[in-house]
């Protein structure tokens, strides 16, 4: 297990220093992502490079996590791998965002330290499939479940009929 990434970081200062950051962050502490998960156990792993090119500062790297979500076809838990490449240019206003190279997305930074896990969580949310579903046809699972429920209901009905003390009268008629 890698060390935890810093929660708050002065990204501008770290970019000026050419800092590399590698570490993990608990999925359970990523509130927006955790709402979409079946299980919040596990960590998001990241490797980041903060740099400066002239007056422009950049945050480049990757974040990944193995998460458990609900398949929207069969409503059963399933594991998926989330992976996002970060190519962010640090900006303080819209004019700076317009000057970014096309390959970079703007990351608004101010005078206050940035909460780095929020940046990583945003990228993982963007990597999340819109409608998570198994790669295979899980409709067979649904058919098995329906058949099992029908069998259970028939068995319960048979047991109920055997326990009815008036069932003997039914045979007399």
């Amino acid at each position: 297990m890698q060390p935890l990434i810093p929660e708050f970081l002065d990204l501008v200062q770290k970019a000026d220093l050419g800092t590399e950051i590698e570490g993990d962050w608990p999925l359970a502490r990523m509130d927006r992502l955790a709402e979409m998960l079946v299980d919040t156990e596990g960590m998001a792993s990241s490797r980041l490079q903060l740099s400066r090119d002239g007056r422009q500062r950049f945050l480049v790297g990757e974040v990944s996590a193995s998460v458990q979500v609900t398949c929207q076809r069969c409503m059963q838990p399933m594991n998926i791998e989330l992976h996002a490449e970060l190519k962010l240019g640090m900006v303080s206003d819209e004019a700076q965002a317009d000057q970014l190279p096309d390959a970079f997305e703007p990351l608004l930074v101010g005078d206050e330290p940035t909460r780095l896990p929020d940046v990583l969580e945003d990228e993982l949310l963007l990597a999340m499939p819109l409608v998570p579903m198994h790669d295979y046809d899980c409709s067979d699972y649904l058919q098995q479940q329906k058949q099992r429920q029908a069998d259970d209901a028939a068995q319960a009905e048979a047991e109920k009929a055997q326990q009815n003390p008036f069932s003997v009268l039914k045979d007399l008629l």
Side-chain angles (χ1 to χ4, degrees):
M1 185 170 135
Q2 296 182 32
L4 292 181
I5 58 170
E7 185 169 5
F8 291 95
L9 201 61
D10 185 346
L11 296 180
V12 172
Q13 176 194 27
K14 295 299 181 185
D16 289 343
L17 297 172
T19 306
E20 287 186 31
I21 299 171
E22 191 168 339
D24 294 339
W25 193 256
L27 294 174
R29 292 180 61 189
M30 293 182 166
D31 296 336
R32 293 172 292 146
L33 181 64
E35 290 176 4
M36 304 172 79
L37 304 179
V38 172
D39 183 8
T40 58
E41 291 296 315
M43 305 289 261
S45 298
S46 62
R47 184 176 26 235
L48 308 169
Q49 173 69 46
L50 293 109
S51 61
R52 180 180 182 161
D53 182 16
R55 296 182 62 206
Q56 184 60 58
R57 294 170 181 91
F58 299 100
L59 170 60
V60 178
E62 60 186 13
V63 59
S64 59
S66 180
V67 297
Q68 191 173 54
V69 296
T70 302
C71 172
Q72 296 302 300
R73 184 182 297 131
C74 69
M75 302 309 288
Q76 295 301 307
M78 63 178 272
N79 292 324
I80 59 172
E81 294 293 325
L82 298 178
H83 182 80
E85 299 284 330
L86 289 81
K87 292 185 90 174
L88 305 172
M90 295 178 222
V91 298
S92 58
D93 58 34
E94 193 173 320
Q96 284 183 339
D98 292 338
Q99 296 174 1
L100 279 176
D102 290 339
F104 290 87
E105 294 291 322
L107 172 63
L108 188 62
V109 292
D111 296 334
E112 297 293 317
T114 302
R115 188 168 187 275
L116 191 54
D118 287 347
V119 175
L120 301 179
E121 183 178 20
D122 289 344
E123 296 300 321
L124 289 173
L125 286 168
L126 289 171
M128 180 74 75
L130 215 47
V131 181
M133 290 188 290
H134 287 107
D135 291 337
Y136 57 89
D137 185 9
C138 55
S139 60
D140 291 341
Y141 174 82
L142 294 174
Q143 293 300 327
Q144 291 172 359
Q145 287 295 96
K146 286 180 184 178
Q147 184 61 45
R148 189 173 299 129
Q149 288 173 349
D151 293 345
D152 290 347
Q155 183 179 0
E157 190 64 37
E159 288 174 5
K160 187 177 177 183
Q162 286 178 344
Q163 294 173 357
N164 188 348
F166 298 107
S167 62
V168 176
L169 295 177
K170 206 188 268 185
D171 294 336
L172 293 175
L173 294 175

